[in-house]
Coordinates of all heavy atoms in Angstrom, one line a residue:
M1 N -45.1 44.4 -37.5 CA -45.6 44.3 -36.1 C -46.8 45.2 -36.0 O -47.7 44.8 -35.3 CB -44.5 44.6 -35.2 CG -43.6 43.4 -34.9 SD -44.4 42.0 -34.4 CE -43.5 40.9 -35.4
K2 N -46.8 46.3 -36.5 CA -48.0 47.3 -36.2 C -49.1 46.6 -37.0 O -50.3 46.6 -36.4 CB -47.8 48.6 -36.8 CG -47.0 49.4 -35.9 CD -46.8 50.9 -36.4 CE -45.8 51.7 -35.4 NZ -45.7 53.1 -35.9
A3 N -48.9 46.0 -38.0 CA -50.1 45.3 -38.7 C -50.6 44.1 -37.8 O -51.9 43.9 -37.7 CB -49.6 44.6 -40.1
E4 N -49.7 43.5 -37.2 CA -50.2 42.4 -36.2 C -51.0 43.0 -35.1 O -52.1 42.4 -34.7 CB -48.9 41.5 -35.7 CG -49.3 40.4 -34.9 CD -48.1 39.6 -34.4 OE1 -47.0 39.9 -34.8 OE2 -48.3 38.6 -33.7
G5 N -50.6 44.0 -34.5 CA -51.2 44.6 -33.4 C -52.6 45.1 -33.8 O -53.6 44.9 -33.1
M6 N -52.7 45.7 -35.0 CA -54.0 46.2 -35.5 C -54.9 45.0 -35.8 O -56.1 45.1 -35.4 CB -53.8 47.0 -36.8 CG -55.0 47.5 -37.4 SD -55.7 48.8 -36.4 CE -54.6 50.2 -36.7
K7 N -54.3 44.0 -36.3 CA -55.1 42.7 -36.5 C -55.8 42.3 -35.1 O -57.0 42.0 -35.0 CB -54.4 41.6 -37.0 CG -55.0 40.2 -37.2 CD -54.1 39.2 -37.6 CE -53.3 38.6 -36.4 NZ -52.5 37.4 -36.7
Y8 N -55.1 42.2 -34.1 CA -55.6 41.8 -32.8 C -56.5 42.9 -32.3 O -57.5 42.4 -31.6 CB -54.4 41.5 -31.8 CG -53.7 40.2 -32.1 CD1 -52.2 40.3 -32.2 CD2 -54.3 38.9 -32.3 CE1 -51.5 39.1 -32.6 CE2 -53.5 37.9 -32.5 CZ -52.2 37.9 -32.6 OH -51.4 36.8 -32.9
L9 N -56.2 44.1 -32.4 CA -57.2 45.1 -31.9 C -58.5 45.1 -32.5 O -59.5 45.2 -31.9 CB -56.6 46.4 -32.1 CG -55.5 46.9 -31.1 CD1 -54.8 48.2 -31.4 CD2 -56.0 46.8 -29.6
K10 N -58.5 44.9 -33.9 CA -59.7 44.7 -34.6 C -60.5 43.5 -34.2 O -61.7 43.5 -34.1 CB -59.5 44.7 -36.1 CG -59.1 46.1 -36.8 CD -58.8 46.0 -38.2 CE -58.5 47.4 -38.6 NZ -58.4 47.5 -40.1
M11 N -59.8 42.4 -34.0 CA -60.5 41.2 -33.6 C -61.1 41.4 -32.1 O -62.2 41.0 -31.8 CB -59.5 39.9 -33.6 CG -59.2 39.4 -34.8 SD -57.8 38.3 -34.9 CE -58.3 37.1 -34.0
A12 N -60.3 42.1 -31.2 CA -60.8 42.3 -29.9 C -62.0 43.3 -29.9 O -63.0 43.0 -29.2 CB -59.7 43.0 -29.1
N13 N -62.0 44.2 -30.9 CA -63.1 45.1 -31.1 C -64.4 44.2 -31.4 O -65.5 44.5 -30.9 CB -62.9 46.1 -32.1 CG -64.1 47.2 -32.2 OD1 -64.6 47.6 -31.3 ND2 -64.5 47.4 -33.5
G14 N -64.2 43.3 -32.2 CA -65.4 42.3 -32.6 C -66.0 41.7 -31.5 O -67.1 41.5 -31.3
Q15 N -65.0 41.2 -30.7 CA -65.3 40.3 -29.5 C -66.0 41.3 -28.5 O -67.0 40.9 -27.8 CB -64.0 39.8 -28.9 CG -63.3 38.7 -29.6 CD -63.9 37.3 -29.5 OE1 -65.0 37.1 -28.8 NE2 -63.5 36.4 -30.3
L16 N -65.5 42.4 -28.3 CA -66.1 43.4 -27.3 C -67.6 43.7 -27.8 O -68.5 43.7 -27.0 CB -65.3 44.7 -27.3 CG -66.0 45.8 -26.4 CD1 -66.0 45.2 -24.9 CD2 -64.9 46.9 -26.4
Q17 N -67.7 44.0 -29.2 CA -69.0 44.3 -29.7 C -70.0 43.1 -29.5 O -71.3 43.2 -29.1 CB -69.0 44.5 -31.1 CG -68.3 46.0 -31.4 CD -68.9 47.1 -30.6 OE1 -70.1 47.3 -30.6 NE2 -68.0 47.8 -30.0
A18 N -69.4 41.8 -29.6 CA -70.2 40.6 -29.4 C -70.6 40.5 -28.0 O -71.8 40.1 -27.5 CB -69.6 39.5 -29.9
S19 N -69.7 40.9 -26.9 CA -70.1 40.8 -25.6 C -71.2 41.8 -25.2 O -72.0 41.5 -24.5 CB -68.8 41.2 -24.8 OG -67.7 40.4 -25.0
I20 N -71.1 43.0 -25.8 CA -72.2 43.9 -25.6 C -73.5 43.5 -26.1 O -74.5 43.7 -25.4 CB -71.8 45.3 -26.2 CG1 -70.6 46.0 -25.5 CG2 -72.9 46.3 -26.2 CD1 -69.9 47.2 -26.2
K21 N -73.6 42.9 -27.3 CA -74.8 42.5 -27.9 C -75.3 41.3 -26.9 O -76.5 41.2 -26.7 CB -74.5 41.9 -29.2 CG -75.7 41.4 -29.9 CD -75.5 41.0 -31.4 CE -76.9 40.6 -32.0 NZ -76.6 40.0 -33.3
M22 N -74.4 40.4 -26.5 CA -74.8 39.4 -25.6 C -75.5 39.9 -24.3 O -76.6 39.4 -23.9 CB -73.6 38.4 -25.3 CG -73.2 37.6 -26.3 SD -71.7 36.8 -26.0 CE -72.3 35.4 -25.0
L23 N -74.9 40.9 -23.8 CA -75.5 41.6 -22.5 C -76.9 42.2 -22.9 O -77.8 42.1 -22.1 CB -74.5 42.6 -21.9 CG -73.6 42.1 -21.1 CD1 -72.6 43.3 -20.7 CD2 -74.1 41.5 -19.8
E24 N -76.9 42.9 -24.0 CA -78.2 43.5 -24.4 C -79.3 42.4 -24.6 O -80.4 42.7 -24.4 CB -78.0 44.3 -25.6 CG -77.2 45.5 -25.5 CD -76.9 46.2 -26.8 OE1 -76.9 45.6 -27.8 OE2 -76.4 47.4 -26.7
E25 N -78.9 41.2 -25.0 CA -79.8 40.2 -25.2 C -80.1 39.2 -24.0 O -80.7 38.3 -24.0 CB -79.4 39.2 -26.4 CG -79.3 39.8 -27.8 CD -78.6 39.0 -28.8 OE1 -77.9 38.0 -28.4 OE2 -78.6 39.5 -29.9
D26 N -79.5 39.7 -22.8 CA -79.7 39.0 -21.7 C -79.2 37.5 -21.6 O -79.8 36.7 -21.1 CB -81.1 39.1 -21.0 CG -81.2 38.9 -19.6 OD1 -80.2 39.3 -18.9 OD2 -82.3 38.3 -19.2
R27 N -78.0 37.4 -22.2 CA -77.6 36.0 -22.5 C -76.9 35.6 -21.1 O -76.6 36.3 -20.3 CB -76.5 36.1 -23.5 CG -76.9 36.4 -24.9 CD -77.5 35.2 -25.7 NE -76.5 34.2 -26.0 CZ -75.6 34.2 -27.1 NH1 -75.7 35.3 -28.0 NH2 -74.8 33.3 -27.3
Y28 N -76.6 34.2 -21.1 CA -76.1 33.6 -19.7 C -74.8 34.3 -19.5 O -73.9 34.4 -20.3 CB -75.9 32.1 -20.1 CG -75.5 31.2 -19.0 CD1 -76.4 31.2 -17.8 CD2 -74.5 30.4 -19.1 CE1 -76.0 30.4 -16.8 CE2 -74.0 29.7 -18.0 CZ -74.8 29.7 -17.0 OH -74.5 28.9 -15.8
C29 N -74.7 34.7 -18.2 CA -73.6 35.5 -17.7 C -72.2 34.7 -17.9 O -71.2 35.3 -18.3 CB -73.7 35.7 -16.2 SG -75.0 36.7 -15.9
V30 N -72.2 33.5 -17.7 CA -71.0 32.7 -18.0 C -70.5 32.7 -19.5 O -69.3 33.0 -19.6 CB -70.9 31.3 -17.5 CG1 -69.9 30.5 -17.8 CG2 -71.3 31.2 -16.0
D31 N -71.5 32.8 -20.3 CA -71.1 32.8 -21.9 C -70.6 34.2 -22.1 O -69.6 34.4 -22.9 CB -72.3 32.7 -22.7 CG -72.8 31.2 -22.7 OD1 -71.9 30.3 -22.2 OD2 -74.0 30.9 -22.9
V32 N -71.1 35.2 -21.5 CA -70.6 36.6 -21.6 C -69.3 36.8 -21.1 O -68.4 37.3 -21.7 CB -71.5 37.6 -21.0 CG1 -71.1 39.1 -21.1 CG2 -73.0 37.6 -21.5
S33 N -69.1 36.1 -19.9 CA -67.7 36.1 -19.3 C -66.7 35.5 -20.3 O -65.6 36.1 -20.4 CB -67.7 35.5 -17.9 OG -66.5 35.5 -17.4
H34 N -66.9 34.4 -20.9 CA -66.1 33.7 -21.9 C -65.8 34.7 -23.0 O -64.6 34.7 -23.5 CB -66.7 32.5 -22.3 CG -66.6 31.3 -21.4 ND1 -65.4 30.7 -21.1 CD2 -67.5 30.6 -20.8 CE1 -65.6 29.6 -20.3 NE2 -67.0 29.7 -20.0
Q35 N -66.7 35.3 -23.4 CA -66.5 36.3 -24.5 C -65.4 37.5 -24.1 O -64.7 37.8 -24.8 CB -67.9 37.0 -25.0 CG -67.9 37.7 -26.2 CD -67.8 36.7 -27.4 OE1 -68.0 35.5 -27.3 NE2 -67.5 37.3 -28.5
I36 N -65.8 38.1 -22.9 CA -65.0 39.0 -22.3 C -63.5 38.5 -22.1 O -62.5 39.3 -22.4 CB -65.6 39.5 -20.9 CG1 -66.9 40.2 -21.3 CG2 -64.5 40.5 -20.3 CD1 -67.7 40.5 -20.0
L37 N -63.4 37.4 -21.6 CA -62.0 36.7 -21.5 C -61.4 36.6 -23.0 O -60.1 36.8 -23.0 CB -62.0 35.4 -20.9 CG -62.5 35.5 -19.3 CD1 -62.6 34.1 -18.8 CD2 -61.4 36.2 -18.6
A38 N -62.1 36.2 -24.0 CA -61.4 36.2 -25.3 C -61.2 37.6 -25.6 O -60.0 37.7 -26.4 CB -62.5 35.6 -26.2
T39 N -61.8 38.6 -25.3 CA -61.4 40.0 -25.6 C -60.1 40.3 -25.0 O -59.2 41.0 -25.7 CB -62.4 41.0 -25.3 OG1 -63.8 40.6 -25.9 CG2 -62.2 42.4 -25.7
I40 N -60.0 40.0 -23.6 CA -58.9 40.3 -22.9 C -57.6 39.6 -23.6 O -56.5 40.2 -23.7 CB -59.0 40.0 -21.5 CG1 -60.1 40.9 -20.8 CG2 -57.6 40.1 -20.6 CD1 -60.6 40.5 -19.4
S41 N -57.7 38.4 -23.9 CA -56.6 37.7 -24.5 C -56.2 38.3 -25.8 O -55.0 38.5 -26.0 CB -57.2 36.3 -24.8 OG -56.1 35.6 -25.4
L42 N -57.1 38.7 -26.6 CA -56.7 39.5 -28.0 C -55.9 40.7 -27.6 O -55.0 41.2 -28.2 CB -58.0 39.7 -28.7 CG -58.3 38.3 -29.3 CD1 -59.8 38.6 -30.1 CD2 -57.5 38.0 -30.4
L43 N -56.6 41.5 -26.6 CA -55.9 42.6 -26.2 C -54.4 42.5 -25.8 O -53.5 43.4 -26.0 CB -56.6 43.5 -25.1 CG -57.9 44.1 -25.6 CD1 -58.8 44.7 -24.5 CD2 -57.7 45.2 -26.6
K44 N -54.2 41.5 -24.9 CA -52.9 41.1 -24.4 C -52.0 40.9 -25.7 O -50.8 41.3 -25.7 CB -52.9 39.8 -23.4 CG -53.5 40.2 -22.1 CD -53.5 39.1 -21.3 CE -54.0 39.2 -19.8 NZ -54.1 38.2 -18.9
K45 N -52.5 40.1 -26.6 CA -51.7 39.8 -27.8 C -51.3 41.1 -28.7 O -50.2 41.3 -29.1 CB -52.4 38.9 -28.8 CG -52.4 37.4 -28.2 CD -53.2 36.5 -29.0 CE -53.3 35.1 -28.5 NZ -54.0 34.2 -29.3
A46 N -52.3 42.0 -28.7 CA -52.0 43.2 -29.4 C -51.0 44.1 -28.6 O -50.1 44.6 -29.3 CB -53.3 44.0 -29.5
N47 N -51.1 44.1 -27.3 CA -50.1 44.8 -26.5 C -48.7 44.2 -26.6 O -47.6 44.8 -26.8 CB -50.5 44.7 -25.1 CG -49.7 45.7 -24.2 OD1 -49.5 46.9 -24.7 ND2 -49.2 45.3 -23.1
A48 N -48.7 42.8 -26.7 CA -47.2 42.2 -27.0 C -46.7 42.5 -28.3 O -45.6 42.7 -28.3 CB -47.5 40.6 -26.7
A49 N -47.5 42.6 -29.3 CA -47.0 42.8 -30.6 C -46.5 44.4 -30.7 O -45.4 44.6 -31.3 CB -48.2 42.7 -31.6
M50 N -47.2 45.2 -30.0 CA -46.7 46.6 -30.0 C -45.6 46.8 -29.2 O -44.7 47.5 -29.6 CB -47.9 47.5 -29.4 CG -49.2 47.5 -30.3 SD -48.8 47.8 -31.9 CE -48.0 49.3 -32.1
L51 N -45.4 46.1 -28.0 CA -44.1 46.2 -27.3 C -42.9 45.6 -28.1 O -41.9 46.2 -28.0 CB -44.3 45.5 -25.9 CG -45.2 46.3 -24.9 CD1 -45.3 45.3 -23.7 CD2 -44.5 47.5 -24.5
K52 N -43.2 44.5 -28.7 CA -42.1 43.9 -29.6 C -41.7 44.9 -30.6 O -40.5 45.1 -30.8 CB -42.5 42.7 -30.2 CG -41.5 41.9 -30.9 CD -42.0 40.7 -31.6 CE -40.9 40.0 -32.3 NZ -41.2 38.8 -33.1
Q53 N -42.6 45.4 -31.2 CA -42.4 46.6 -32.4 C -41.5 47.7 -31.6 O -40.6 48.2 -32.3 CB -43.7 47.2 -32.9 CG -43.5 48.4 -33.7 CD -43.1 48.1 -35.0 OE1 -43.1 47.0 -35.6 NE2 -42.6 49.2 -35.6
H54 N -41.9 48.0 -30.6 CA -41.2 49.2 -29.8 C -39.8 48.8 -29.5 O -38.9 49.6 -29.8 CB -42.0 49.7 -28.5 CG -41.4 50.7 -27.9 ND1 -41.4 52.0 -28.3 CD2 -40.8 50.9 -26.6 CE1 -40.7 52.8 -27.4 NE2 -40.4 52.0 -26.4
M55 N -39.6 47.5 -29.0 CA -38.3 47.3 -28.6 C -37.5 46.9 -29.8 O -36.2 47.2 -29.8 CB -38.4 46.0 -27.7 CG -39.0 46.3 -26.4 SD -39.4 45.1 -25.3 CE -38.0 44.2 -25.0
E56 N -37.9 46.5 -30.8 CA -37.1 46.2 -32.0 C -36.7 47.3 -32.8 O -35.7 47.5 -33.5 CB -37.9 45.3 -32.9 CG -37.9 43.8 -32.5 CD -38.8 42.9 -33.4 OE1 -39.5 43.4 -34.3 OE2 -38.7 41.7 -33.2
H57 N -37.6 48.5 -32.7 CA -37.2 49.7 -33.5 C -36.9 50.8 -32.4 O -35.8 51.3 -32.6 CB -38.4 49.9 -34.4 CG -38.6 48.9 -35.3 ND1 -37.8 48.8 -36.5 CD2 -39.7 47.9 -35.5 CE1 -38.3 47.7 -37.2 NE2 -39.3 47.2 -36.6
C58 N -37.8 51.2 -31.8 CA -37.5 52.5 -31.0 C -36.4 52.3 -30.0 O -35.6 53.2 -29.9 CB -38.9 52.9 -30.3 SG -40.3 53.3 -31.4
V59 N -36.4 51.2 -29.3 CA -35.4 51.1 -28.3 C -34.2 50.8 -28.9 O -33.1 51.3 -28.6 CB -35.7 49.9 -27.4 CG1 -34.7 49.6 -26.4 CG2 -37.1 50.2 -26.5
T60 N -34.1 50.1 -30.0 CA -32.8 49.7 -30.7 C -32.3 51.1 -31.2 O -31.0 51.4 -31.0 CB -33.2 48.7 -31.8 OG1 -33.6 47.7 -31.2 CG2 -31.8 48.6 -32.7
D61 N -33.1 52.0 -31.8 CA -32.6 53.2 -32.5 C -32.2 54.2 -31.3 O -31.3 55.0 -31.5 CB -33.8 53.9 -33.2 CG -34.1 53.1 -34.6 OD1 -33.3 52.4 -35.0 OD2 -35.2 53.4 -35.0
A62 N -32.8 54.1 -30.1 CA -32.4 55.0 -29.0 C -31.1 54.6 -28.5 O -30.2 55.4 -28.2 CB -33.4 54.9 -27.9
F63 N -30.8 53.3 -28.5 CA -29.5 52.9 -28.0 C -28.4 53.4 -29.0 O -27.3 53.9 -28.6 CB -29.4 51.4 -27.9 CG -29.7 51.0 -26.5 CD1 -31.0 50.5 -26.2 CD2 -28.8 51.1 -25.4 CE1 -31.4 50.1 -24.8 CE2 -29.1 50.6 -24.2 CZ -30.4 50.1 -23.9
K64 N -28.7 53.4 -30.3 CA -27.7 53.9 -31.3 C -27.4 55.4 -31.2 O -26.4 55.8 -31.5 CB -28.3 53.5 -32.7 CG -28.3 52.1 -33.2 CD -28.9 51.8 -34.4 CE -29.1 50.4 -34.8 NZ -29.7 50.2 -36.0
E65 N -28.5 56.1 -30.7 CA -28.3 57.6 -30.5 C -27.9 57.8 -29.0 O -27.9 59.1 -28.9 CB -29.7 58.1 -30.9 CG -30.1 57.9 -32.3 CD -31.6 58.3 -32.5 OE1 -32.2 58.8 -31.6 OE2 -32.1 58.1 -33.6
G66 N -27.8 56.9 -28.2 CA -27.3 57.2 -26.9 C -28.3 57.5 -25.9 O -28.1 58.0 -24.8
A67 N -29.5 57.2 -26.2 CA -30.6 57.5 -25.3 C -31.5 56.3 -24.9 O -32.7 56.2 -24.6 CB -31.7 58.4 -26.1
G68 N -30.8 55.1 -24.9 CA -31.3 53.9 -24.5 C -32.0 53.7 -23.2 O -33.1 53.1 -23.1
E69 N -31.3 54.3 -22.2 CA -31.8 54.1 -20.8 C -33.2 54.8 -20.7 O -34.0 54.2 -19.8 CB -30.8 54.9 -19.9 CG -29.6 54.2 -19.8 CD -29.5 52.8 -19.2 OE1 -30.3 52.6 -18.3 OE2 -28.9 52.0 -19.8
T70 N -33.5 55.9 -21.4 CA -34.9 56.5 -21.3 C -36.0 55.5 -21.8 O -36.9 55.2 -21.2 CB -34.9 57.7 -22.2 OG1 -34.1 58.6 -21.6 CG2 -36.3 58.4 -22.0
K71 N -35.6 54.8 -22.9 CA -36.5 53.8 -23.5 C -36.7 52.6 -22.6 O -37.8 52.0 -22.6 CB -36.0 53.5 -24.9 CG -36.0 54.5 -25.9 CD -37.4 55.1 -26.1 CE -37.4 56.2 -27.0 NZ -38.6 56.8 -27.1
I72 N -35.6 52.2 -22.0 CA -35.7 51.0 -20.9 C -36.6 51.6 -19.9 O -37.4 50.6 -19.5 CB -34.3 50.6 -20.4 CG1 -33.6 49.9 -21.5 CG2 -34.4 49.8 -19.3 CD1 -32.1 49.6 -21.2
E73 N -36.6 52.6 -19.3 CA -37.4 53.0 -18.3 C -38.9 53.1 -18.7 O -39.7 52.8 -17.9 CB -37.0 54.4 -17.7 CG -35.7 54.4 -17.0 CD -35.8 53.6 -15.7 OE1 -36.9 53.6 -15.0 OE2 -34.7 53.0 -15.5
E74 N -39.1 53.4 -20.0 CA -40.5 53.5 -20.6 C -41.0 52.0 -20.6 O -42.2 51.7 -20.2 CB -40.6 54.0 -21.9 CG -40.3 55.5 -22.0 CD -40.4 56.0 -23.5 OE1 -40.3 55.1 -24.4 OE2 -40.4 57.1 -23.7
V75 N -40.3 51.2 -20.9 CA -40.7 49.8 -21.1 C -40.9 49.1 -19.7 O -41.9 48.5 -19.4 CB -39.6 48.9 -21.9 CG1 -40.0 47.4 -21.8 CG2 -39.7 49.4 -23.3
L76 N -40.0 49.4 -18.7 CA -40.1 48.9 -17.4 C -41.4 49.4 -16.8 O -42.1 48.7 -15.9 CB -39.0 49.2 -16.5 CG -37.6 48.4 -16.9 CD1 -36.4 49.0 -16.1 CD2 -37.8 47.1 -16.5
T77 N -41.8 50.7 -16.9 CA -43.0 51.3 -16.5 C -44.3 50.6 -17.0 O -45.1 50.2 -16.3 CB -43.0 52.8 -16.8 OG1 -42.0 53.5 -16.3 CG2 -44.4 53.5 -16.4
L78 N -44.2 50.2 -18.3 CA -45.3 49.5 -18.8 C -45.4 48.0 -18.3 O -46.5 47.7 -18.0 CB -45.0 49.4 -20.4 CG -45.4 50.6 -21.2 CD1 -45.0 50.4 -22.6 CD2 -46.8 50.9 -21.1
F79 N -44.2 47.3 -18.1 CA -44.2 46.0 -17.4 C -44.8 46.2 -16.0 O -45.6 45.2 -15.7 CB -42.9 45.5 -17.5 CG -42.3 44.9 -18.7 CD1 -40.9 44.9 -19.0 CD2 -43.2 44.5 -19.8 CE1 -40.5 44.6 -20.3 CE2 -42.7 44.0 -20.9 CZ -41.4 44.0 -21.3
N80 N -44.4 47.1 -15.3 CA -45.0 47.3 -14.0 C -46.5 47.4 -14.0 O -47.2 46.8 -13.1 CB -44.3 48.4 -13.3 CG -42.9 48.1 -12.8 OD1 -42.7 46.8 -12.6 ND2 -42.0 49.0 -12.8
K81 N -47.0 48.2 -14.9 CA -48.4 48.3 -15.2 C -49.1 47.0 -15.4 O -50.2 46.7 -15.1 CB -48.8 49.4 -16.2 CG -48.5 50.8 -15.7 CD -48.9 51.8 -16.8 CE -48.5 53.2 -16.2 NZ -48.9 54.3 -17.3
M82 N -48.4 46.3 -16.3 CA -49.0 44.9 -16.7 C -49.1 43.9 -15.5 O -50.0 43.1 -15.5 CB -48.1 44.4 -17.8 CG -48.3 45.1 -19.1 SD -46.9 44.7 -20.3 CE -47.2 42.9 -20.5
I83 N -48.1 44.0 -14.6 CA -48.1 43.2 -13.4 C -49.2 43.5 -12.4 O -49.8 42.8 -11.8 CB -46.7 43.2 -12.8 CG1 -45.6 42.5 -13.7 CG2 -46.7 42.5 -11.5 CD1 -44.2 42.8 -13.3
D84 N -49.4 44.9 -12.2 CA -50.4 45.3 -11.3 C -51.8 44.9 -11.5 O -52.3 44.6 -12.5 CB -50.5 46.8 -11.1 CG -49.1 47.3 -10.5 OD1 -48.5 46.6 -9.9 OD2 -48.8 48.5 -10.7

């Protein structure tokens, strides 16, 4: 899963660099906006991959060790930030 997250982050970085270049070239605003939205989409996918990794490993391990409630609170805090 970390590899999947990294893949999306690298792709998002490429999209972001393309957005910056488009702005520097004074490209059409709507085209730049499309590029930015593509970046946001990739960042969301990277975040989802990282959260899945966290839940499959860290949260599962925490429950085995009796500390699951803390990890649930961490995940809920992240979800609340995603909603805002």
Side-chain angles (χ1 to χ4, degrees):
M1 276 305 132
K2 285 186 181 182
E4 184 179 359
M6 182 65 77
K7 174 185 77 170
Y8 288 126
L9 285 174
K10 287 182 177 183
M11 290 169 58
N13 185 45
Q15 292 282 357
L16 181 59
Q17 294 303 315
S19 299
I20 292 168
K21 184 176 180 184
M22 290 172 76
L23 279 173
E24 290 172 344
E25 295 172 351
D26 200 30
R27 299 272 296 273
Y28 187 56
C29 294
V30 172
D31 292 341
V32 177
S33 184
H34 281 290
Q35 194 76 13
I36 292 168
L37 289 172
T39 305
I40 292 168
S41 177
L42 287 166
L43 289 171
K44 287 180 179 181
K45 288 178 182 180
N47 192 47
M50 294 312 303
L51 286 174
K52 183 176 182 195
Q53 166 78 17
H54 181 67
M55 291 168 61
E56 289 177 344
H57 297 281
C58 298
V59 174
T60 301
D61 291 346
F63 270 100
K64 290 176 186 174
E65 297 168 5
E69 292 300 318
T70 301
K71 295 299 179 186
I72 287 175
E73 288 300 319
E74 288 177 347
V75 172
L76 288 175
T77 299
L78 285 172
F79 284 152
N80 285 328
K81 287 181 180 182
M82 291 167 56
I83 293 169
D84 288 341

